[in-house]
Amino acid sequence: MSTVLVIGVGDLGERLAAGLAGNPAVGRLLLAGRSVPAVAAAATTVLSSHDCLVEPVRLDALRVEDVASLLATSRPDLVVQCASRRSPWELVGRDDPAARAVAAAGIALRLPYQLAVPHALMRAAREAGFSGPIANLSLPDVTGPVLAALGLAPTIGLGNASVIQLRARAAWRATHPDAAKAPLIRVIGHHAHVYGVMQADPPTDPDHRCRIYVDEQGNRDDDLAYQAPGLAPGQRYNHVTAAAALPVLAALLPDAPPLRWSAPAPHGLPGGYPVRIHNRTVALDLPPGVTAEEAIAFNQRMSNGDGVDHITAAGTVHFTPACQEAVADIAPELAEPLPIDEIDTRAARLDDVLRN
């Protein structure tokens, strides 16, 4: 029976914890977070719903030494990173100028909120000598390549490309109601595609759509990603994200059967790709005729939709002109290049701007 450590018990963290607790291969689940009441409530909810040992753990996931100690003492078979400084849904419903400007800049502008915890976790894993798989939910399409540049890439990301895959499968099933099972569907796409896919709103330029490959032969059908019924942005997306992430987590457990899926940031690559997970390792599973270089270049271009112009070999994030323009009248310094050692300062500045 496996031990799984889940860091972060917000809405998605608790959903993933519940899904893992229902997996018969998981015998012990550690739920870790900064808020004692929140962690206790989540643990109690999960253990009351499933036949699994669930333990609440108070953890400040930004403290590298504390995370390293927990990894060394608990020796989990899998770590699931769900924590961030602030929820990506925080600006939903706000209509003040600062919130509008920051939202219009693209989610990469809020990278300091999403990068801090996975950065601390990966440093802690290195310090503790932890070599097991680590799955990161926190904006993996962008945080993954930053961490990879620092030699700290998580094993794989969660959500995003997996969500697109589920949406494409739903659309395929709607037109093949009598089929026993859906065909293999492989996705090459970026987080920047997800909102359009979820709202059934494809980009005008076909070259900017995520790439969908059907069957072993990899027949292209990009429209399939945009044909399921649209769903307005909001926390309902978390239900789909959890459903998309749980097969990946199950496949990373010891003795799990192989899985062919699509997922973001395998080994820190930008964007999402088809992958094969077997023996707790992750490898690309690209369609015939598609090279890794081509897939990576496509996702790097699509990262502009999140506000990323490029990421340097040192992990410094440069933002697009559109991102810079969006906050030019509010706080232009927010869109200056972001090196890893400035994420705390930039997060504090974001806090100041969004409080006004």
Side-chain angles (χ1 to χ4, degrees), residues 8-348:
V9 290
D11 181 69
L12 254 175
E14 188 170 335
R15 288 176 186 267
L16 294 179
L20 286 162
N23 187 321
V26 177
R28 179 178 177 229
L29 196 60
L30 306 178
L31 302 190
R34 184 184 300 181
S35 167
V36 172
V39 172
T44 301
T45 301
V46 174
L47 69 86
S48 300
S49 309
H50 300 278
D51 187 17
C52 179
L53 179 64
V54 183
E55 302 173 24
V57 179
R58 189 199 177 279
L59 177 72
D60 184 344
L62 293 174
R63 293 178 56 86
V64 173
E65 61 273 24
D66 292 354
V67 180
S69 176
L70 179 59
L71 291 173
T73 56
S74 63
R75 295 185 295 176
D77 296 289
L78 169 66
V79 178
V80 186
Q81 196 311 99
C82 303
S84 61
R85 275 184 159 137
R86 293 192 180 276
S87 167
W89 297 113
E90 239 184 28
L91 299 184
V92 173
R94 285 184 56 171
D95 196 37
D96 54 284
R100 288 201 308 270
V102 170
I107 196 170
L109 192 78
R110 287 174 275 165
L111 188 60
Y113 292 155
Q114 305 301 320
L115 179 57
V117 176
H119 181 227
L121 168 61
M122 297 310 298
R123 289 161 60 204
R126 183 168 61 186
E127 183 177 309
F130 178 77
S131 59
I134 298 176
N136 174 39
L137 182 70
S138 188
L139 193 57
D141 300 66
V142 182
T143 60
V146 172
L147 293 170
L150 304 173
L152 295 170
T155 309
I156 200 166
L158 299 172
N160 302 340
S162 304
V163 168
I164 295 171
Q165 179 182 356
L166 290 191
R167 292 279 293 177
R169 283 174 57 174
W172 187 92
R173 285 188 180 279
T175 57
H176 300 78
D178 298 325
K181 59 183 286 188
L184 175 67
I185 293 178
R186 289 182 273 198
V187 175
I188 298 174
H190 197 276
H191 171 268
H193 289 117
V194 171
Y195 284 91
V197 168
M198 289 298 293
Q199 296 175 86
D201 183 20
T204 303
D205 186 343
D207 289 339
H208 291 174
R209 299 176 186 182
C210 56
R211 297 180 176 180
I212 306 297
Y213 301 84
V214 181
D215 295 324
E216 288 289 353
Q217 295 76 22
N219 299 307
R220 280 281 292 274
D221 189 359
D222 299 348
D223 290 343
L224 200 59
Y226 303 93
Q227 291 173 351
L231 185 64
Q235 286 205 339
R236 284 185 180 274
Y237 284 17
N238 286 356
H239 181 87
V240 184
T241 300
L246 283 168
V248 172
L249 300 180
L252 291 170
L253 295 173
D255 302 318
L259 175 71
R260 300 179 75 183
W261 206 246
S262 294
H267 304 296
L269 291 178
Y273 308 82
V275 296
R276 184 190 297 267
I277 304 174
H278 185 45
N279 290 333
R280 311 179 76 204
T281 62
V282 178
L284 292 182
D285 183 26
L286 295 170
V290 179
T291 67
E293 292 77 12
E294 177 188 0
I296 292 168
F298 171 74
N299 275 326
Q300 286 174 328
R301 293 194 302 273
M302 294 303 100
S303 69
N304 289 355
D306 275 341
V308 177
D309 185 84
H310 67 281
I311 298 171
T312 71
T316 297
V317 180
H318 290 250
F319 299 101
T320 61
C323 174
Q324 296 168 22
E325 183 179 350
V327 293
D329 295 333
I330 300 295
E333 67 275 15
L334 291 177
E336 292 177 356
L338 178 64
I340 192 68
D341 58 2
E342 291 186 15
I343 59 173
D344 293 342
T345 303
R346 195 71 61 88

